[in-house]
Amino acid sequence: MSSSAEATIQPSSGPLYKQLVQKLKGEILAGTYPVGTQLPTETELSERFAVSRHTVRAALRQLRDDGLVSSRQGAGTTVVRPGSAQTYVHEINAISDLINYAAGMRFEIETLGMIECNEDQAERLSCPEGQRWLHVAGFRFMEGDAAPICWTEVFIHADYAGVSRLLERNRSPIYELVEDLYGERVEEVEQIVQSGHAPINVAPTLQIESGITVLEVQRRYRLTSGKLAIIAFTLHKPDMFRLSFTLRRSKS
């Protein structure tokens, strides 16, 4: 159980129910509430987070819509596998929300090593030919699942390739490892969602036909200095991924 200081959510940080959704979602993905277990009651959540029952109900309704929990009269709210319909929901409102992308998942690395970009790779990364990157690739799995939810390739600039020794035993997001190891700070993440195609060697494990159209999520991480440090490509089956984000009017 978190302390009251950890649990309190702030009215100035956006809608209370949205903050509660993010906190509960993070705990579910991190395994605090495993699949098949029940969340605390509405009363317990209301007291823990110092919010109204109305706020708790709105948050639980959002978690149900996202396919993370199910509710039944008299049986409480039960954690289910992310979407009984096999949908992976990823909600982003800030860079810190990318932590939830790695939390609760395991990354089984199949390829790890330095590369010098050939012509095709340079075009893909929008970098000079011959530039050196640490290449990491593998499948991501939800805890307890035998089938992967996506294929991920990550390219880390050679200047930060030292994180390679941490990848096998550390489940933190790679950008956090770069920040911690090199004292850098990620200032901006550009995200592009577009159609793509699964490589021949990846399609069978994702249980799709080779060459079928999939969703490709590309993220480019820039440091405060403006340097591009990480480029990540993730392939999802179209029926297993939904991206949610919130846009707010600038105060300026």
Side-chain angles (χ1 to χ4, degrees):
M1 179 69 69
S2 299
S3 69
S4 59
E6 295 172 323
T8 301
I9 53 182
Q10 303 298 325
S12 60
S13 300
L16 295 180
Y17 89 93
K18 280 280 192 181
Q19 294 182 59
L20 183 53
V21 166
Q22 286 302 308
K23 287 182 177 294
L24 292 176
K25 185 179 293 186
E27 292 182 350
I28 289 171
L29 294 177
T32 303
Y33 302 109
V35 171
T37 63
Q38 288 192 334
L39 292 183
T41 66
E42 288 184 4
T43 299
E44 290 170 336
L45 290 173
S46 176
E47 292 175 353
R48 176 188 169 192
F49 291 96
V51 295
S52 68
R53 293 277 292 275
H54 175 78
T55 296
V56 172
R57 292 191 191 106
L60 295 178
R61 183 167 56 249
Q62 182 65 60
L63 290 174
R64 287 195 297 272
D65 291 344
D66 289 346
L68 292 175
V69 302
S70 65
S71 298
R72 197 156 49 104
Q73 187 68 30
T77 300
T78 304
V79 178
V80 299
R81 298 198 184 284
S84 298
Q86 295 297 308
T87 299
Y88 178 67
V89 180
H90 186 202
E91 182 167 334
I92 300 175
N93 296 308
I95 290 177
S96 59
D97 291 336
L98 291 175
I99 294 174
N100 288 336
Y101 187 72
M105 283 196 283
R106 70 181 190 274
F107 184 24
E108 293 193 358
I109 297 174
E110 300 210 345
T111 302
L112 175 62
M114 296 299 301
I115 63 166
E116 289 188 3
C117 288
N118 58 30
E119 183 177 354
D120 290 340
Q121 291 168 331
E123 181 178 356
R124 185 185 185 197
L125 301 184
S126 300
C127 72
E129 190 172 344
Q131 190 170 75
R132 299 178 71 247
W133 297 78
L134 174 66
H135 178 231
V136 188
F139 293 98
R140 290 188 183 275
F141 297 77
M142 294 299 297
E143 289 297 349
D145 284 355
I149 65 167
C150 63
W151 167 259
T152 297
E153 284 187 277
V154 183
F155 296 84
I156 305 165
H157 193 282
D159 288 352
Y160 310 104
V163 298
S164 62
R165 66 180 186 270
L166 305 176
L167 295 177
E168 294 283 1
R169 62 179 186 274
N170 198 310
R171 292 176 56 178
S172 298
I174 292 176
Y175 84 88
E176 278 198 336
L177 298 180
V178 169
E179 289 183 328
D180 292 344
L181 189 60
Y182 292 94
E184 298 279 6
R185 181 174 183 272
V186 172
E187 182 70 20
E188 176 184 279
V189 180
E190 177 188 10
Q191 178 164 269
I192 301 171
V193 181
Q194 60 189 10
S195 61
H197 295 89
I200 295 176
N201 63 316
V202 170
T205 307
L206 284 180
Q207 300 177 354
I208 58 177
E209 295 181 9
S210 177
I212 193 173
T213 300
V214 296
L215 283 177
E216 179 183 84
V217 180
Q218 178 187 157
R219 295 187 181 92
R220 304 172 74 88
Y221 297 73
R222 291 191 182 277
L223 305 177
T224 304
S225 64
K227 187 171 184 176
L228 183 62
I230 304 169
I231 305 173
F233 299 88
T234 301
L235 298 180
H236 293 269
K237 293 164 60 174
D239 59 347
M240 288 186 65
F241 182 83
R242 178 163 64 89
L243 176 68
S244 173
F245 59 92
T246 301
L247 302 178
R248 293 189 177 90
R249 189 181 296 276
S250 172
K251 294 181 181 180
S252 59

